[in-house]
Amino acid sequence: MFSNEIDKLIIQHLDDLDDGARRLTRLQDRVADVIDETFNDWLDAKGWYPDSGEWRQRQDAAIAPRNWISEDNKWLAWFGLGFGSGDDGQAGEEKDYFWLTRLCKAGRGEMGLRFYQTEVGRTAWKKFLRDQTPRFLGTRFILDEEPSLFLPVRIHKDHLARAVEEEDLKRAFVPLLEGFEYIHENIDRFHSLLAESRKLQA
């Protein structure tokens, strides 16, 4: 179908598309609430730094062991829900319009849990990570150009659709919980990574 024919169809169905966008925005808010609940419930269960699920309000949901937070409450390192490399999460010509599309990997982008740290500058950190590549061989963590380590998380749209139908959104978020558990299982790699980076700073 040619572009002008698609544009014609869009105009002919403006009312449906407008209503669909409105409903998707409301649904996205409901999903954001579940994301925050999932973060906070898991953090509470593991005894990690509490109440760090703030995706609905600030798109800032994170997990971190308590010893990654300084005594003056400064975050030294954490895993945050975020977007794939090169994606700022904003709508654009070559990007998905909704972050929920990314979370379901139903369009062009993706989401996942990204490792952040504040103690080493960007240039030095990028070189340091490249040198540490063997430490993460055989894992699901992807070393990308942010520079960072990224663990993709996909909520399958069919599973989410069934969960919405059955009014039990949490059941679709098993992949997010699996991501948390995978980080927990591999946390010693990141403790060692941070320790090595501090030696570099020294």
Side-chain angles (χ1 to χ4, degrees):
M1 185 176 289
F2 294 114
S3 178
N4 60 334
E5 292 174 329
I6 294 173
D7 290 343
K8 175 186 174 183
L9 287 171
I10 287 173
I11 292 172
Q12 288 176 333
H13 296 278
L14 273 177
D15 53 344
D16 293 331
L17 292 169
D18 193 85
D19 185 57
R22 187 181 301 109
R23 293 182 68 88
L24 183 50
T25 298
R26 290 198 299 265
L27 177 58
Q28 193 168 247
D29 286 344
R30 287 172 59 196
V31 170
D33 286 338
V34 173
I35 288 173
D36 289 342
E37 290 174 17
T38 304
F39 266 82
N40 292 330
D41 288 350
W42 188 88
L43 288 164
D44 184 60
K46 293 297 182 184
W48 283 23
Y49 196 76
D51 299 326
S52 299
E54 298 182 8
W55 188 256
R56 169 76 181 269
Q57 296 298 326
R58 299 168 48 195
Q59 291 197 358
D60 185 21
I63 61 172
R66 290 177 183 269
N67 62 351
W68 286 5
I69 315 298
S70 69
E71 292 182 0
D72 59 353
N73 208 37
K74 180 181 178 182
W75 288 62
L76 305 177
W78 65 96
F79 288 90
L81 185 64
F83 306 101
S85 183
D87 186 357
D88 60 4
Q90 300 299 310
E93 188 72 21
E94 299 298 324
K95 296 184 288 186
D96 298 319
Y97 194 86
F98 292 96
W99 59 256
L100 185 55
T101 309
R102 296 170 168 93
L103 183 62
C104 294
K105 208 170 182 180
R108 301 178 181 186
E110 66 177 338
M111 290 180 65
L113 296 162
R114 181 175 297 285
F115 179 66
Y116 297 90
Q117 60 81 41
T118 61
E119 298 181 275
V120 181
R122 177 183 172 85
T123 301
W125 180 248
K126 187 172 186 176
K127 182 180 183 303
F128 172 72
L129 276 184
R130 285 177 178 166
D131 292 341
Q132 298 298 315
T133 299
R135 191 189 298 268
F136 293 91
L137 290 176
T139 73
R140 291 161 44 196
F141 296 103
I142 298 169
L143 176 59
D144 61 25
E145 293 299 314
E146 287 302 305
S148 183
L149 288 152
F150 182 72
L151 179 65
V153 172
R154 178 192 182 193
I155 306 302
H156 199 287
K157 66 179 183 179
D158 292 339
H159 297 168
L160 183 58
R162 283 197 295 272
V164 168
E165 183 181 29
E166 297 170 7
E167 298 184 352
D168 184 14
L169 285 177
K170 281 190 174 182
R171 63 178 291 183
F173 280 80
V174 171
L176 182 58
L177 289 169
E178 288 175 345
F180 294 160
E181 291 297 330
Y182 191 73
I183 288 169
H184 191 266
E185 291 166 10
N186 286 276
I187 199 63
D188 285 346
R189 296 177 192 265
F190 290 91
H191 287 319
S192 298
L193 187 73
L194 291 170
E196 290 294 325
S197 71
R198 288 170 186 142
K199 290 180 185 177
L200 177 69
Q201 288 293 88

